[in-house]
Amino acid sequence: MTLLINRAQETAGKSVALEDLILTTALPTTGGSKMLEGYMSLFDATVVGKLEAAGYEIAGKANIGEFGFDLLGETSYFGACENEQGELEAASSLLLADGEVEAVVGLDVNGTQRRAAALADQVCVKPTYGTVSRFGTIAVACSGEAVCVTANTAAEAQDVLSAIVGHDDKDGTSLPEERCALAKTAAEMPKKKIALAKSFVEAADDLTKAAIAEFASFAEKAGFAVEEIDDAILLAARPAWNVLMSAELCNNVSRFDGVKYGYRATQYETIDELYTNSRTEAFGELLKATILYGSEMLSEENYDKMYDKSLRVRRVVVEELARIFADYDAVLLPACSKSAYTLAELEADKFLCFKDNACTAVASISGVPAVVVGGVQLVGPAFSDAALLALAAQFESAEEVR
Amino acid sequence: MNMDILVRLEKLNQLRLTEEQRAQQLAFFAEREAEMAQLDAIDTADVERMVHVLPLENVLREDRADEPFSREDLQAGAPQADDGYWQVPRTVD
């Protein structure tokens, strides 16, 4: 079982692992794909420099699913990871559980890290879109993906997030410094109200429901009113995100063709055979399926009906969240509907990441921050990142008392 | 979605599926098609597209040359290169 695809020399101080969509000059960057096995970048991602400037050492490159959009890393060319109970578990979770690193920094494309943190009872923060530079990350679904942090505690996640937040001239979607800084500052949650997304909870298994109930109970003791809301609009985030993510992924991975870098097939005669054989041999099944779906969504026949429609639904979801956040500090919902998955389940349904991403798609499509703690997910308004983490830390303290 | 369209999509995307994968792919398309009802249920006739969640501005920088990567560095990871050129099969007859 491969936790680190490539390992750095022994680290002595504070160390983090980088998931393997983040480019590094010192170690290869594979994207979890045969296509990029052994690929050496000529530059570091901006977050690498920021982490090192803050005193973190890079322990290695954590194993991820191919291009980081699957359920829990099951599509990695380097093999999926499982825990001692035989359940699928992300490499990042196992590294943190082993105490190998203080945190794992990754690229949240389709909520994989949030699901992983929920299943492993760890903390994950997907920050407000545009507050952490994506320069030097392998682009997959640019309009929604965000550099994220997973750690054992909210305080550790906050420390690492604070180190990487900030404007970057090299990232055209990077916010001005003063707005980025908002994500580091824990403001009060003035409304003292949390919205419970009931449809998402009802679709979850009993253990997940129990985790939601436990957090709701904590929140009420901490002075918050927890109220069920009509979340019908939020349910539309998943199909819309599936369309947008696939369309963007299709375009982004078209650069991998076996010519200038990456895997090249050994058998070909024409240039078309070089492209086709290289991509067919190097790409996994889920990636191929997603490319073909994304391509179809961008076709003349489907562009208006599917892609354009999804862009409009994105606005509807964003406006619905704005309405909710006018009355509530955060939305409480699961990070995934189950409390465990096995490889056998994923082999029986290879496309589960398009179905069990409903809970993560809400923040992915809208760019708002999300924090996972205690097996549940809190989604807040833009720049509430630190406030959500502060609430997560309060929850951890209350758990310790119990 | 049907097999003819799927084969065309494979060609467009420089991919080749096995017959078993094609059957899975058609099932995948059918699943996605079924969830479209959730989108169709939302009236978006008067809703503007939202390509990006942020109001993005075009980012310009000073028009000056940076130090480029060397040809040797750029070709260090090339599958096949010779004498400073990437090698591919003949593209024009």
Side-chain angles (χ1 to χ4, degrees):
Chain A
M1 188 165 69
T2 306
L3 298 187
L4 289 172
I5 297 171
N6 285 286
R7 183 181 289 272
Q9 288 178 345
E10 204 68 15
T11 53
K14 298 187 296 182
S15 69
V16 295
L18 302 174
E19 289 188 339
D20 219 10
L21 281 171
I22 297 176
L23 295 174
T24 47
T25 51
L27 294 167
T29 303
T30 68
S33 178
K34 178 178 181 178
M35 178 55 84
L36 291 178
E37 186 177 18
Y39 171 71
M40 292 300 297
S41 171
L42 297 180
F43 57 92
D44 284 321
T46 294
V47 292
V48 176
K50 281 182 171 284
L51 286 165
E52 288 175 343
Y56 290 98
E57 294 181 77
I58 309 300
K61 307 298 287 289
N63 195 0
I64 52 166
E66 190 171 30
F67 294 108
F69 68 99
D70 62 3
L71 198 75
L72 287 164
E74 69 278 4
T75 61
S76 170
Y77 174 62
F78 304 94
C81 298
E82 291 175 301
N83 60 24
E84 287 174 356
Q85 291 76 46
E87 297 160 349
L88 198 57
E89 190 157 342
S92 57
S93 301
L94 293 165
L95 285 165
L96 286 165
D98 289 349
E100 285 222 29
V101 291
E102 284 192 23
V104 180
V105 176
L107 188 69
D108 182 329
V109 178
N110 188 30
T112 307
Q113 294 84 351
R114 281 176 276 158
R115 283 187 289 277
L119 299 186
D121 198 14
Q122 293 165 345
V123 177
C124 177
V125 52
K126 182 196 85 74
T128 303
Y129 187 86
T131 58
V132 178
S133 171
R134 288 183 298 114
F135 178 77
T137 60
I138 296 177
V140 181
C142 314
S143 75
E145 66 199 13
V147 173
C148 67
V149 179
T150 308
N152 283 316
T153 67
E156 287 167 316
Q158 179 65 68
D159 283 349
V160 175
L161 181 66
S162 296
I164 60 176
V165 158
H167 174 73
D168 182 10
D169 281 340
K170 293 175 179 169
D171 177 355
T173 60
S174 178
L175 290 166
E177 188 61 44
E178 63 274 16
R179 297 188 74 196
C180 289
L182 294 172
K184 293 195 271 190
T185 314
E188 278 290 302
M189 289 186 156
K191 301 174 187 81
K192 292 289 175 203
K193 282 171 76 179
I194 291 176
L196 183 66
K198 63 176 180 180
S199 304
F200 294 84
V201 179
E202 281 165 8
D205 67 10
D206 288 345
L207 278 174
T208 307
K209 281 180 184 151
I212 292 280
E214 188 180 348
F215 191 91
S217 166
F218 147 76
E220 283 170 347
K221 283 178 194 147
F224 288 84
V226 180
E227 298 175 353
E228 286 187 354
I229 56 161
D230 178 358
D231 52 14
I233 296 287
L234 301 186
L235 289 170
R238 179 180 70 89
W241 179 240
N242 284 345
V243 170
L244 299 180
M245 175 180 71
S246 303
E248 293 177 27
L249 176 145
C250 168
N251 283 340
N252 277 321
V253 303
S254 64
R255 75 191 67 186
F256 302 119
D257 58 9
V259 172
K260 290 188 175 173
Y261 57 89
Y263 176 82
R264 180 182 289 195
T266 53
Q267 302 294 319
Y268 56 85
E269 288 188 6
T270 65
I271 185 73
D272 273 338
E273 283 179 10
L274 185 157
Y275 293 144
T276 304
N277 294 355
S278 299
R279 287 164 63 84
T280 298
E281 291 170 23
F283 289 166
E285 282 184 45
L286 178 67
L287 181 59
K288 285 176 190 152
T290 308
I291 292 169
L292 295 170
Y293 179 62
S295 177
E296 178 65 359
M297 294 301 97
L298 293 169
S299 68
E300 188 179 1
E301 191 185 29
N302 286 299
Y303 187 88
D304 286 341
K305 197 170 66 176
M306 307 289 202
Y307 182 71
D308 187 85
K309 176 80 182 183
S310 297
L311 290 175
R312 293 172 200 272
V313 169
R314 165 182 268 163
R315 183 177 298 282
V316 172
V317 171
V318 166
E319 289 177 353
E320 179 69 3
L321 283 170
R323 266 192 291 277
I324 293 169
F325 293 138
D327 292 327
Y328 297 91
D329 297 304
V331 177
L332 172 62
L333 73 170
C336 52
S337 67
K338 292 182 65 178
S339 46
Y341 297 85
T342 62
L343 260 180
E345 279 174 85
L346 268 294
E347 276 160 19
D349 186 352
K350 294 183 172 70
F351 308 123
L352 208 49
C353 67
F354 277 81
K355 296 178 205 163
D356 214 353
N357 59 344
C359 300
T360 53
V362 174
S364 296
I365 200 169
S366 59
V368 295
V371 165
V372 169
V373 66
V376 306
Q377 180 180 207
L378 289 163
V379 172
F383 309 111
S384 66
D385 315 49
L388 294 175
L389 280 168
L391 185 60
Q394 211 179 323
F395 174 74
E396 289 170 340
S397 303
E399 249 190 336
E400 274 174 29
V401 171
R402 279 199 303 278
Chain B
M1 177 51 56
N2 57 45
M3 193 61 84
D4 288 345
I5 297 174
L6 178 54
V7 171
R8 190 193 68 190
L9 285 173
E10 287 177 38
K11 188 170 168 50
L12 279 172
N13 289 284
Q14 309 278 8
L15 292 170
R16 192 170 45 246
L17 301 189
T18 63
E19 288 307 316
E20 186 188 349
Q21 287 170 340
R22 282 178 178 159
Q24 286 181 352
Q25 185 75 35
L26 290 176
F28 177 67
F29 272 109
E31 277 179 5
R32 303 285 75 74
E33 180 68 30
E35 68 194 21
M36 286 304 132
Q38 278 180 277
L39 296 185
D40 292 338
I42 297 176
D43 181 6
T44 54
D46 297 321
V47 179
E48 289 284 310
R49 296 151 49 103
M50 185 178 248
V51 177
H52 253 285
V53 292
L54 300 173
L56 293 179
E57 292 172 18
N58 198 9
V59 179
L60 301 174
R61 64 169 174 81
E62 191 185 344
D63 186 13
R64 58 175 169 75
D66 280 338
E67 190 65 33
F69 293 119
S70 73
R71 187 176 287 230
E72 290 73 25
D73 285 344
L74 286 169
Q75 294 192 326
Q80 202 176 341
D82 187 41
D83 197 24
Y85 295 92
W86 280 276
Q87 291 190 313
V88 293
R90 179 184 294 274
T91 54
V92 180
D93 288 324

